[in-house]
Amino acid sequence: MPGLFVGDAGKGLMYLELARVTGDKKHFESADRIARRFADGWKYKENDQPYWTLDMYCGAAGYLLFLLDLNEYGPDPFYIAEARRAGDFIVKWARPVENGGFTWAMEPWTGTGQDFFYTGFAHGVAGVVYSLAELGRATGEPKYLEYAEGGAKLVMDGAQPLGQGFQWYAKYTPQPDKIKFQWCHGPPGMLLMFLKLYEVTEKPLYRDWVEKCAATTARPGKYYRLDMSLCHGTPGNGDILLEAYRVLGDRKYLDLALDHAEPARACCIEKGDEIRWRFGNSSYMNGTAGVGHFFLRLADPGKTRPALIAK
């Protein structure tokens, strides 16, 4: 799989980060090999499609970001050409909707795509929008931003009011599914999408939506699973608020992120020189490693990379 969270893009990103930190060229070469190996003909074997899905989690949108990150580190026309290929593949499967926007089924070629009409960042439209907006910025080609803004229109039209903010159904067709509040399907991931659109276009509309998503993300813990992991808990949401602080420079987002750090700090277990949480594992998305990254980023938000995205 090519995806960022489950797949080769995530492995490549690890090597790329090692190259950044150590300056050792061999790690960059490992990341480069992953990109070229996929380009040399890895296919979705059952129906000869080049990507497993369109989404950020395990598909084209996440792989696209990895390619752009590679090109930023070591510019090469190959990376941009492959990123365009991924972007064009996503655009190919866009479906116009009545409101003038676009939507995507995440596996449209399987014949069961209706099961995969998600709105959120990890598995749905919001993650696709994020990647297309970044591709538009990197290439200067307006079509990618056009489709990104069309997808954002669908997300905005599907927002359900909640206090001063909004919430979303995880699925929007054929029947609305349950409301989610984690980054993967809920307002924190939408915040990332609108933040990227504002960063690329500087349109006040998208900054307003960042504010609305932050209002829901920062609501009391009962609105999302009481968990201390990056994947579906307070550190993951706090990391997204840190990204808003990095991009916008508004101190209130740093303060909100610090609020998210307090419950994680309060429930840690100290044993000698070790600090751990009640996960039962040390993994990145669901365990201690991810919480450590969140606290590392709190120490210097401008220096440490975001936990949940490649760029």
Side-chain angles (χ1 to χ4, degrees):
M1 280 187 269
L4 188 63
F5 294 99
V6 178
D8 291 296
K11 299 173 187 175
L13 195 65
M14 176 198 69
Y15 286 119
L16 190 56
E17 190 67 4
L18 280 171
R20 283 195 180 99
V21 171
T22 66
D24 192 330
K25 186 179 178 181
K26 72 180 180 184
H27 299 307
F28 173 72
E29 291 170 349
S30 295
D32 176 77
R33 278 196 298 272
I34 287 174
R36 293 181 189 275
R37 184 172 58 189
F38 187 81
D40 283 342
W42 286 22
K43 300 290 184 179
Y44 184 79
K45 295 180 181 179
E46 293 181 6
N47 46 42
D48 203 35
Q49 294 295 338
Y51 303 98
W52 280 70
T53 66
L54 300 180
D55 66 3
M56 185 75 73
Y57 200 79
C58 56
Y63 189 68
L64 191 164
L65 288 184
F66 166 55
L67 290 164
L68 294 179
D69 223 10
L70 270 171
N71 190 67
E72 186 176 284
Y73 183 87
D76 187 323
F78 166 78
Y79 301 138
I80 290 294
E82 282 298 295
R84 284 195 179 101
R85 184 174 78 125
D88 290 342
F89 184 76
I90 293 170
V91 166
K92 168 188 172 181
W93 292 103
R95 301 185 184 187
V97 292
E98 292 181 0
N99 68 0
F102 294 104
T103 187
W104 286 266
M106 292 302 112
E107 294 186 11
W109 49 83
T110 64
T112 60
Q114 288 207 16
D115 293 335
F116 296 92
F117 276 99
Y118 290 110
T119 53
F121 190 86
H123 307 288
V125 171
V128 167
V129 167
Y130 185 102
S131 289
L132 288 177
E134 186 63 31
L135 181 60
R137 178 165 71 168
T139 63
E141 295 183 25
K143 72 173 180 180
Y144 299 123
L145 191 55
E146 174 190 345
Y147 278 88
E149 293 197 90
K153 189 174 191 311
L154 178 125
V155 172
M156 289 186 281
D157 287 351
Q160 308 294 313
L162 178 67
Q164 295 180 336
F166 287 94
Q167 57 190 342
W168 279 265
Y169 292 108
K171 294 180 184 178
Y172 56 87
T173 188
Q175 295 293 329
D177 195 11
K178 62 181 70 174
I179 295 288
K180 301 278 187 159
F181 290 91
Q182 293 78 34
W183 71 273
C184 48
H185 290 290
M190 305 306 189
L191 190 159
L192 278 178
M193 181 198 76
F194 287 119
L195 190 64
K196 177 57 65 180
L197 285 168
Y198 177 72
E199 193 177 14
V200 172
T201 69
E202 298 184 345
K203 292 182 179 180
L205 168 68
Y206 298 129
R207 180 158 186 164
D208 290 344
W209 277 88
V210 168
E211 296 270 353
K212 295 168 184 175
C213 293
T216 311
T217 300
R219 288 177 75 91
K222 68 179 181 179
Y223 290 97
Y224 52 85
R225 189 184 304 181
L226 290 175
D227 190 292
M228 292 303 131
S229 71
L230 281 182
C231 189
H232 38 250
T234 49
N237 288 2
D239 185 79
I240 289 170
L241 292 164
L242 274 178
E243 182 64 3
Y245 170 66
R246 184 192 69 80
V247 172
L248 301 177
D250 190 329
R251 171 76 197 198
K252 71 181 178 184
Y253 294 111
L254 177 58
D255 291 339
L256 289 172
L258 289 168
D259 287 344
H260 281 63
E262 180 54 31
R265 187 203 63 78
C267 70
C268 72
I269 302 168
E270 297 187 39
K271 186 176 181 180
D273 294 334
E274 294 184 2
I275 297 177
R276 62 182 67 183
W277 284 263
R278 297 183 185 278
F279 295 118
N281 71 79
S282 58
S283 70
Y284 186 72
M285 290 301 290
N286 292 293
T288 301
V291 185
H293 185 121
F294 172 56
F295 279 106
L296 182 65
R297 195 165 185 227
L298 270 174
D300 191 344
K303 185 176 181 180
T304 309
R305 295 167 61 85
L308 299 171
I309 50 177
K311 291 182 69 62

